[in-house]
Amino acid sequence: MNNNILRAEHLSKTVSTSDHELTILDDVSFELNRGQSLAIVGPSGAGKSTLLGLLAGLDTPSKGKVWLGDSELTAMDEEGRAAVRAKMVGFVFQTFQLLSSLTALENVSLPMELAGDKHALDRANKYLLRVGLAERVNHYPKQLSGGEQQRVAIARAFACQPKILFADEPTGNLDQKTGLKVCDLLFELNEQSDATLVLVTHEQRLASRCDHMITIDDGKLVESSLTNSQQ
Amino acid sequence: MRTYLNRHLQVLFAAIGTFARTPFASLATILIIAITLVLPSILYITLKSGQQIAEGWQGRPQISIFIDTELGAQEAKLIFAELSLHPAIETAEFLTPQQALEEFTALSGMSYELDFLGENPLPASIVAMPDQENSESDSLQALKTELEKIEGIESIRLDLEWTDKFNSLLNTAERTTYLLFALLSAALFLIVGNTIKLLIMNRRDEIEVTKLVGGSNAFVRRPFLYYGFLFGVCGGVCALVLLYFSAIYISPALENLATLYQKETLVYQLNWHELLCIVAFGGALGWIAARLSVARHLRHIKPR
Ligand SMILES: Nc1ncnc2c1ncn2[C@@H]1O[C@H](COP(=O)(O)OP(=O)(O)OP(=O)(O)O)[C@@H](O)[C@H]1O
Ligand SMILES: [Mg+2]
């Protein structure tokens, strides 16, 4: 039993386009301790979202391994990775990723119901209250503003009390003021919950609020404040 | 267990809701399924009706033996006596030319024309019934060739000859029915599979997000299986309605035929067991088709 919540070992991702192989991610390794927060920064197209997808088990690497807690994601099939996500992972994405056919309340409770939580609805209500949307629980996403939708997504991410939270440019689609409020909320809930936060962002100001920072450029890890046993 | 049931019911109602939201597309699919089920069902009913008619004949093959008209009444009686004693023949009945004529006039109502002929053209005949062991087609045929050698017998007709023909016709019809069932089931598979594929494509975003927050394949798959099942069941029920109206349309013609055959009804009535079978068949096929379609198409949708 070690103190790592997240460990990446020689992660590479290549995709084959029509005429040649394209390397999106090239030999990335690092490890992150429980309860700490990590910012992944770098220019557009560097491979940040790709890396996040591999770390969260949404995608599989061409080479290398990923551990999330005690589970080796890269040794699991899609069902196994989905089960790990349901049990210990929360997501906040730039595009909110809410189900348009479900109300705010149903969106927040869905992952908990998937994980078999009997108090899903109670907890969903509680978290919607905490993000300031008590009045909007029965509204559908299209009835909510972008900032409100992102708050629903944040409530959904924290309500299932994840061990680790992945956020990919959570403020990317919001104006600066709203983005700032959403970010405050994200960090506040994160501190209260002892979850590990992995945040992809363009904004230096946001990145500096995290305990650690790694920089990706052209698929390579070019700068890291993390210790790395692999190198 | 209770929550498990609840969840299934929820998904089922959601599926019904989707039906209600796209009534025309759903109805079109359901109608196509119904027609696909009705065609072989009509053939099946025809087949069963034919078998019902055939059943009336089986088990009592008759041999009609016609005596040479040159023979006198005395010699004809002698042949009758000989046949009556034949070990393979259980009962035999002698018909004089006069009796044959009476029977014919009674059946045909053509007394006037026959009177006009002046002289009875019919031969004396013997109607014989073989015993149980000799009722099979083969042994009956052997008996026929044996009897034909007896002098004074003009010709022999086996009732079985056309029972056999009818039976082989039924056999062909039966095979055709099953073949049609198989072919149309395949068509049904494609129809339901394709409808499910379109539904999956329409809800791609939803599936991606559900997978993202940890929805298992079984969870994502479930509503689509319900769609397939519902499509199939509704198609089956629709097929029953169509069958009912088909029966109303056809039955006057068949009733006519029935009175000709002096039977109450010729049409085979599907029992509730078979009615249920049509609906269950639709449901099961829909479910399996959805399962195959889902297995093919959900795999390509990754969480995002
Ligand atoms: N499935 C794919 N097929 C081909 N190319 C891909 C695929 N997925 C990603 N890429 C490419 O890989 C590179 C990295 O993509 P990624 O989305 O990880 O960048 P990013 O760092 O998140 O950029 P941004 O900051 O703009 O979100 C891009 O050039 C992208 O076009
Ligand atoms: Mg990105």
Side-chain angles (χ1 to χ4, degrees):
Chain A
M1 181 78 207
N2 55 45
N3 204 26
N4 291 335
I5 180 78
L6 184 64
R7 187 146 62 102
E9 258 181 30
H10 304 295
L11 279 185
S12 294
K13 179 77 178 175
T14 48
V15 292
S16 41
T17 54
S18 51
D19 50 342
H20 66 297
E21 297 262 301
L22 185 67
T23 302
I24 312 174
L25 216 56
D26 192 6
D27 196 26
V28 173
S29 303
F30 66 84
E31 45 189 78
L32 182 67
N33 285 346
R34 272 167 217 280
Q36 302 207 301
S37 55
L38 169 70
I40 302 174
V41 297
S44 181
K48 306 184 294 294
S49 298
T50 306
L51 176 60
L52 197 80
L54 295 180
L55 297 176
L58 299 177
D59 200 1
T60 48
S62 312
K63 263 188 248 141
K65 293 175 178 173
V66 176
W67 274 268
L68 199 60
D70 299 326
S71 318
E72 188 191 337
L73 289 182
T74 36
M76 294 175 155
D77 60 2
E78 208 189 318
E79 286 294 273
R81 295 198 303 270
V84 170
R85 281 201 298 278
K87 208 171 68 189
M88 56 187 288
V89 179
F91 289 99
V92 180
F93 282 171
Q94 180 174 1
T95 49
F96 318 138
Q97 301 290 53
L98 299 174
L99 287 177
S100 58
S101 58
L102 301 184
T103 62
L105 183 67
E106 289 163 344
N107 262 298
V108 176
S109 64
L110 177 67
M112 292 183 276
E113 275 165 12
L114 287 176
D117 188 335
K118 287 188 190 66
H119 308 291
L121 279 181
D122 290 343
R123 278 249 288 284
N125 264 314
K126 195 178 104 190
Y127 274 87
L128 279 169
L129 181 72
R130 279 176 72 174
V131 298
L133 289 173
E135 314 276 287
R136 314 300 295 269
V137 287
N138 290 321
H139 286 194
Y140 289 91
K142 64 169 179 281
Q143 298 171 297
L144 301 172
S145 73
E148 286 163 346
Q149 288 185 48
Q150 196 61 302
R151 271 142 71 192
V152 174
I154 289 172
R156 176 181 69 186
F158 282 104
C160 48
Q161 293 174 320
K163 301 271 185 310
I164 186 161
L165 195 115
F166 292 98
D168 192 349
E169 296 179 31
T171 60
N173 270 349
L174 306 173
D175 64 57
Q176 211 176 5
K177 200 168 138 231
T178 316
L180 201 64
K181 270 202 263 179
V182 163
C183 261
D184 286 343
L185 192 62
L186 197 61
F187 279 102
E188 183 193 318
L189 283 173
N190 187 50
E191 263 156 39
Q192 289 166 11
S193 70
D194 295 326
T196 303
L197 176 69
V198 178
L199 173 73
V200 170
T201 183
H202 278 313
E203 292 177 53
Q204 198 56 45
R205 198 159 46 108
L206 253 179
S208 61
R209 287 172 75 169
C210 294
D211 303 327
H212 295 283
M213 184 161 88
I214 59 177
T215 310
I216 305 283
D217 196 357
D218 197 16
K220 291 184 184 68
L221 184 70
V222 291
E223 209 182 312
S224 172
S225 67
L226 287 170
T227 54
N228 184 8
S229 55
Q230 297 300 317
Q231 286 174 354
Chain B
M1 187 64 207
R2 213 198 157 94
T3 51
Y4 178 80
L5 261 182
N6 269 344
R7 257 200 244 172
H8 271 267
L9 278 180
Q10 242 175 1
V11 177
L12 181 63
F13 284 128
I16 294 172
T18 303
F19 268 39
R21 257 177 281 135
T22 53
F24 289 109
S26 303
L27 208 66
T29 307
I30 288 170
L31 270 180
I32 294 172
I33 295 170
I35 293 166
T36 317
L37 286 172
V38 160
L39 291 177
S41 300
I42 288 181
L43 245 183
Y44 177 78
I45 290 173
T46 315
L47 181 73
K48 279 288 191 179
S49 305
Q51 281 171 348
Q52 246 177 9
I53 296 171
E55 249 162 43
W57 298 326
Q58 267 149 20
R60 47 182 186 89
Q62 275 189 356
I63 313 171
S64 302
I65 300 147
F66 301 101
I67 311 286
D68 200 333
T69 37
E70 308 286 299
L71 248 49
Q74 207 57 39
E75 289 155 298
K77 285 272 184 194
L78 268 174
I79 294 177
F80 170 63
E82 189 184 336
L83 288 187
S84 303
L85 292 173
H86 195 284
I89 288 172
E90 202 167 273
T91 61
E93 196 191 342
F94 187 75
L95 282 164
T96 62
Q98 190 55 38
Q99 284 168 319
L101 184 65
E102 277 163 18
E103 194 164 288
F104 182 72
T105 22
L107 271 173
S108 67
M110 290 206 306
S111 59
Y112 177 78
E113 289 87 341
L114 286 168
D115 281 349
F116 186 72
L117 278 172
E119 171 187 329
N120 183 1
L122 295 177
S125 60
I126 296 161
V127 178
M129 210 181 281
D131 61 9
Q132 202 62 43
E133 289 148 55
N134 289 287
S135 289
E136 292 299 314
S137 178
D138 289 348
S139 42
L140 216 56
Q141 208 62 46
L143 185 61
K144 182 187 171 190
T145 24
E146 186 195 329
L147 296 183
E148 267 168 350
K149 286 181 193 135
I150 297 175
E151 210 157 316
I153 290 181
E154 169 76 33
S155 66
I156 292 175
R157 210 189 67 213
L158 295 181
D159 252 4
L160 204 77
E161 275 174 14
W162 86 283
T163 315
D164 267 0
K165 277 183 195 154
F166 193 76
N167 272 337
S168 68
L169 199 73
L170 279 183
N171 259 334
T172 316
E174 192 167 1
R175 276 173 182 248
T176 313
T177 308
Y178 293 145
L179 188 70
L180 200 73
F181 242 122
L183 285 176
L184 288 176
S185 300
L188 220 157
F189 247 77
L190 296 179
I191 295 163
V192 176
N194 199 51
T195 307
I196 297 294
K197 176 188 166 182
L198 289 179
L199 277 172
I200 291 175
M201 293 310 159
N202 274 340
R203 298 176 58 179
R204 196 187 176 96
D205 293 348
E206 207 172 311
I207 294 165
E208 283 170 354
V209 175
T210 310
K211 281 193 171 184
L212 170 73
V213 296
S216 65
N217 273 326
F219 178 84
V220 175
R221 182 171 64 201
R222 200 173 299 146
F224 298 104
L225 298 184
Y226 273 110
Y227 293 138
F229 180 69
L230 273 182
F231 274 129
V233 167
C234 292
V237 172
C238 236
L240 296 190
V241 175
L242 286 181
L243 274 179
Y244 177 76
F245 284 114
S246 310
I248 286 182
Y249 177 69
I250 298 171
S251 66
L254 275 170
E255 250 160 52
N256 230 344
L257 198 67
T259 42
L260 282 181
Y261 276 82
Q262 293 162 345
K263 288 207 172 190
E264 255 170 49
T265 177
L266 279 176
V267 192
Y268 176 75
Q269 306 269 335
L270 291 176
N271 56 36
W272 66 267
H273 204 147
E274 286 160 323
L275 294 176
L276 205 70
C277 248
I278 292 179
V279 177
F281 184 72
L285 222 63
W287 179 278
I288 297 168
R291 224 190 143 103
L292 290 181
S293 178
V294 157
R296 268 175 54 101
H297 300 291
L298 273 190
R299 210 164 0 117
H300 301 301
I301 302 183
K302 298 269 174 252
R304 201 162 61 88

